[in-house]
Amino acid sequence: MTQLFEDNKASEQSEQFTSLKISDWLVAYISDLLEIEPEEVDVETTFARYGLDSSAAVILTGDLGNWLEKEVEPTIMYDYPTIAKLAEYLAE
């Protein structure tokens, strides 16, 4: 393997979105949206429990998709109804 290839591979790996990075982004987003401290956001609590309706899901997934640089369907929040589950799925 050439050094250039190894450097590119290492760079790509560092740019990957891990479950933790995605979870942190979602926690920050929801805490900002609900005007609460990030520590008050439980990653195992459902989005519905936080009062996020379908219009909020569309906006959140649009912003999340922009951050991830890929399309994220709004209905994904119903398939993966918590921050932890959604982050784990998106990191795969």
Side-chain angles (χ1 to χ4, degrees), residues 21-36 38 41 47 52 55-65 67 77 83:
K21 283 183 185 178
I22 296 168
S23 179
D24 288 347
W25 186 93
L26 287 165
V27 166
Y29 190 96
I30 290 174
S31 70
D32 187 55
L33 180 70
L34 300 178
E35 298 178 353
I36 60 175
V41 178
F47 294 112
L52 302 181
S55 61
V58 169
I59 295 168
L60 185 150
T61 54
D63 291 343
L64 179 59
W67 181 68
M77 292 177 62
I83 291 172

Side-chain angles (χ1 to χ4, degrees), residues 71-91:
E71 186 174 341
V72 178
E73 294 292 326
T75 56
I76 199 169
M77 292 177 62
Y78 299 103
D79 297 330
Y80 303 94
T82 67
I83 291 172
K85 289 179 182 176
L86 181 58
E88 186 177 320
Y89 170 76
L90 291 171

Side-chain angles (χ1 to χ4, degrees), residues 6-45:
E6 289 176 15
D7 290 345
N8 284 341
K9 189 171 183 174
S11 175
E12 287 173 6
Q13 288 175 345
S14 67
E15 293 174 12
Q16 288 180 340
F17 291 99
T18 64
S19 178
L20 180 60
K21 283 183 185 178
I22 296 168
S23 179
D24 288 347
W25 186 93
L26 287 165
V27 166
Y29 190 96
I30 290 174
S31 70
D32 187 55
L33 180 70
L34 300 178
E35 298 178 353
I36 60 175
E37 293 298 318
E39 297 79 27
E40 297 178 63
V41 178
D42 181 356
V43 298
E44 297 297 337
T45 298

